[in-house]
Amino acid sequence: MEAEEIKEQKEYIKKVYELNKNKNLKYYILTMGCKLNENDSEKLVGMLEKMGYEESKDMNTADLYLINTCCIRENAEEKVFGKLGEFKKIKEHKDIIIALGGCMMQEKHITDKIKKSYPFVDVVFGTHTIHKFPEDLYKAIISKNKINDILDIDGKVYEGLPIKRSDKKQASVTIMYGCNNFCTYCIVPYVRGRERSRKPEDILSEIEGLAKEGYKEITLLGQNVNSYNGGDGYKFSNLLRDVDKIQGIEIIRFISPHPKDFTDDVIEAIRDSKKISRLIHIPLQSGSTKVLKEMNRKYTKEQFLNLTDRIKAKIPDVVFSTDIIVGFPGETEEDFEDTLDVVKKVNFEQIFMFIYSRRVGTLADKMENQIPEEIKHKRFNRLKALFEENIEKNNEKYVGTTQKILVEGYSKNNTEMLTGRTDTNKVVVFEGKKDLIGKIINIKIVSEHKWYLKGKV
Ligand code: SAH
Ligand code: SF4
Ligand code: F3S
């Protein structure tokens, strides 16, 4: 359902379009952070193009500069300030608009810093006011005033925003916003508000539309997808089963589920589907029960191992990917070894590894037993080495098998060869004709090369 607020914004889109007509204006956008942010940016780009801006990939030739920011770790924030320095130089000799949006803007110490040290920024908006970007931009253009549009609220769900997708075959669909879990290291609940789910009919009609447009692969997005609540007892497993029925969609993925909410009905919905990927992402964070408790993750080492075993028992061809944080406050050598132990036992296909980064406002930031940087880095490298040891062994099991892959295009390193990914996200390189691009085909895997597999059509 399209809210009044969105109708109002569509009027602002028209107004900005009228101002911009025949001016041939361009935008430059930088998106940081997770897939949810990328999906938000697709909406921002949808609005921008309807307002008469065209994309510029060259940083020096735009009229409007937009960064959709992330604050999950310190390095994401540093990058934004670096970019702002570059934008400032451009603004010194050209009349440009600079806009900042997204998670980082929900942090007061950041917006204070921008006001004080980066006064040349024109528009600042947060995660709860993305839909109001046309209005904020219009006001900035007309009045030449600084626009600050940030709300500190639980958040709402808006339907019907324009969207321009960045890919023609794979699409992301946000199913729920916000997070209620308050893991003690994590800033997301503070910047994205409380959990709220889109209505099943809105999600399903979006995916049906995507299927009609020719999309083959869908990723369902949320900070905690398996706490999706569609109302009247309609749960994540119901949504999976309904998405599975949509004709034309051939691969379904979802990120991220929370281990504590990974119930049997979800496992069974995956088992019963031929489309849902057999690569399941389950964030471990730590293998130590003590650290998990301090992180407020609400499961133990044993419960995590029991969960992956339960999934494997029902879905024998499943593989897992995960997120791990090293160097959480108070993590001892013994705790870290528990993490390595889980990594060995589960044999993850992919691990996204992070060094713990202190976030202002979170409980873990106030903990006294912070780990020295040097130890964090050493542990990070040990985890990385253990994982890399396993890659070749993991790859061996593909050789000789036939894999369903979505052909993405020419290989970057060898433009004679095509490339795509298996259902489990392994890169496959093979010889083939151009017209295979965008299709889902069967490939026989002939050899493994650590970072990719070689195949034959
Ligand atoms: N909601 C998702 C992911 C959120 S952010 C989930 O719960 O899985 C993605 C990943 O960033 C997290 O899984 C975690 O591993 C990492 N992360 C979050 N906060 C962090 C911090 N303060 N320092 C380092 N890594 C962090
Ligand atoms: Fe952050 Fe935890 Fe929520 Fe994930 S579940 S977004 S890690 S608070
Ligand atoms: Fe970053 Fe916000 Fe995503 S903090 S990881 S962009 S939800």
Side-chain angles (χ1 to χ4, degrees):
M1 204 189 63
E2 194 174 298
E4 274 310 308
E5 286 108 313
I6 299 301
K7 285 192 186 134
E8 203 183 323
Q9 292 308 315
K10 288 192 172 165
E11 290 304 314
Y12 278 107
I13 289 181
K14 280 188 206 148
K15 285 187 191 172
V16 179
Y17 179 81
E18 286 304 318
L19 293 176
N20 287 348
K21 228 168 39 187
N22 304 324
K23 286 192 189 151
N24 211 350
L25 298 182
K26 296 202 161 54
Y27 67 89
Y28 173 87
I29 186 168
L30 183 66
T31 304
M32 324 211 37
C34 62
K35 277 193 179 286
L36 285 152
N37 240 23
E38 285 171 18
N39 194 225
D40 285 344
S41 281
E42 291 181 325
K43 291 169 194 161
L44 288 163
V45 165
M47 294 188 258
L48 279 168
E49 300 208 348
K50 285 221 168 0
M51 291 188 281
Y53 292 92
E54 271 177 52
E55 183 170 15
S56 162
K57 297 255 185 220
D58 173 4
M59 209 188 85
N60 294 302
T61 59
D63 305 279
L64 184 145
Y65 291 75
L66 171 59
I67 310 181
N68 192 7
T69 62
C70 166
C71 53
I72 198 84
R73 283 170 291 273
E74 196 177 358
N75 51 8
E77 296 191 336
E78 282 162 1
K79 210 168 149 187
V80 171
F81 291 116
K83 272 284 162 207
L84 279 180
E86 295 178 48
F87 294 171
K88 185 181 180 215
K89 287 205 189 90
I90 301 171
K91 200 163 179 159
E92 277 161 11
H93 57 84
K94 193 173 160 191
D95 189 20
I96 60 169
I97 289 180
I98 300 175
L100 297 177
C103 295
M104 217 173 134
M105 299 305 120
Q106 295 291 139
E107 297 184 292
K108 192 165 178 305
H109 69 279
I110 296 286
T111 45
D112 285 348
K113 179 168 169 178
I114 289 168
K115 258 183 231 152
K116 193 162 158 268
S117 310
Y118 300 83
F120 53 89
V121 174
D122 299 285
V123 180
V124 172
F125 60 97
T127 57
H128 301 298
T129 42
I130 287 175
H131 64 287
K132 280 181 68 206
F133 182 56
E135 178 177 346
D136 294 338
L137 182 59
Y138 178 78
K139 288 180 176 160
I141 298 173
I142 289 286
S143 69
K144 303 253 176 220
N145 285 340
K146 308 267 168 258
I147 306 295
N148 217 37
D149 191 6
I150 292 152
L151 294 174
D152 184 16
I153 54 173
D154 288 350
K156 283 191 188 177
V157 173
Y158 292 104
E159 298 293 340
L161 284 177
I163 183 160
K164 189 184 174 214
R165 298 192 181 267
S166 55
D167 192 279
K168 294 263 176 291
K169 295 290 161 195
Q170 315 174 3
S172 295
V173 175
T174 301
I175 63 166
M176 48 102 59
Y177 299 89
C179 181
N180 292 352
N181 290 318
F182 289 92
C183 302
T184 54
Y185 51 81
C186 184
I187 194 73
V188 170
Y190 302 92
V191 299
R192 286 267 172 181
R194 296 291 68 73
E195 282 177 7
R196 53 219 186 266
S197 298
R198 290 176 69 197
K199 293 203 180 79
E201 57 268 30
D202 288 329
I203 298 170
L204 295 169
S205 75
E206 180 177 346
I207 300 175
E208 277 157 13
L210 288 165
K212 285 201 189 95
E213 284 176 48
Y215 282 89
K216 299 268 182 283
E217 183 176 326
I218 293 292
T219 304
L220 306 174
L221 299 182
Q223 290 299 355
N224 184 4
V225 283
N226 46 10
S227 69
Y228 174 81
N229 176 1
D232 299 327
Y234 189 99
K235 295 184 292 190
F236 184 55
S237 57
N238 301 98
L239 183 67
L240 282 178
R241 287 184 189 275
D242 282 342
V243 174
D244 184 71
K245 289 184 203 131
I246 298 176
Q247 280 210 356
I249 299 300
E250 295 181 44
I251 301 174
I252 303 165
R253 303 179 189 275
F254 55 87
I255 46 171
S256 289
H258 194 298
K260 77 176 164 61
D261 298 317
F262 217 117
T263 44
D264 282 333
D265 56 315
V266 174
I267 302 173
E268 281 154 20
I270 302 168
R271 177 199 62 196
D272 296 343
S273 165
K274 290 211 163 50
K275 300 179 180 177
I276 300 176
S277 170
R278 266 36 187 167
L279 171 70
I280 303 181
H281 184 70
I282 309 187
L284 168 67
Q285 312 301 3
S286 168
S288 151
T289 296
K290 184 198 96 197
V291 173
L292 287 167
K293 192 159 192 293
E294 295 285 307
M295 287 177 160
N296 191 28
R297 289 291 291 178
K298 301 191 174 76
Y299 52 87
T300 63
K301 175 184 182 184
E302 288 67 33
Q303 282 167 332
F304 187 92
L305 288 170
N306 180 278
L307 171 62
T308 51
D309 284 345
R310 251 168 51 223
I311 300 175
K312 276 184 194 157
K314 286 198 162 125
I315 313 168
D317 55 345
V318 76
V319 296
F320 299 107
S321 62
T322 199
D323 290 352
I324 292 175
I325 298 176
V326 299
F328 182 82
E331 182 188 72
T332 61
E333 174 60 26
E334 210 183 345
D335 293 324
F336 178 63
E337 276 166 21
D338 269 329
T339 300
L340 298 181
D341 186 46
V342 176
V343 168
K344 282 185 202 141
K345 288 195 166 116
V346 179
N347 201 8
F348 295 105
E349 198 77 10
Q350 228 174 335
I351 305 181
F352 300 92
M353 303 168 208
F354 307 106
I355 291 176
Y356 169 69
S357 171
R358 293 174 79 161
R359 303 287 72 209
V360 175
T362 60
L363 285 176
D365 182 43
K366 298 186 189 82
M367 292 178 184
E368 273 163 17
N369 39 8
Q370 301 287 332
I371 305 292
E373 289 303 317
E374 195 195 322
I375 296 182
K376 286 190 205 169
H377 281 90
K378 278 200 180 133
R379 287 186 187 155
F380 182 86
N381 290 337
R382 281 166 65 195
L383 174 61
K384 196 160 155 257
L386 172 68
F387 174 67
E388 287 184 3
E389 249 171 57
N390 278 336
I391 296 180
E392 280 162 74
K393 206 168 69 205
N394 262 337
N395 283 352
E396 286 294 341
K397 67 176 182 281
Y398 288 90
V399 178
T401 64
T402 301
Q403 298 286 326
K404 180 173 87 171
I405 72 157
L406 174 60
V407 186
E408 288 170 1
Y410 287 105
S411 162
K412 270 191 208 126
N413 302 325
N414 181 350
T415 47
E416 309 267 282
M417 306 283 269
L418 291 173
T419 174
R421 279 166 198 274
T422 64
D423 171 49
T424 53
N425 220 15
K426 285 270 169 209
V427 176
V428 182
V429 176
F430 56 95
E431 262 175 62
K433 294 216 180 72
K434 193 180 165 204
D435 58 355
L436 292 178
I437 295 173
K439 296 210 168 88
I440 290 183
I441 60 169
N442 282 321
I443 292 274
K444 176 116 189 223
I445 305 301
V446 292
S447 54
E448 76 86 18
H449 304 263
K450 192 155 184 180
W451 303 114
Y452 66 96
L453 303 169
K454 214 171 216 168
K456 245 192 175 134
V457 180

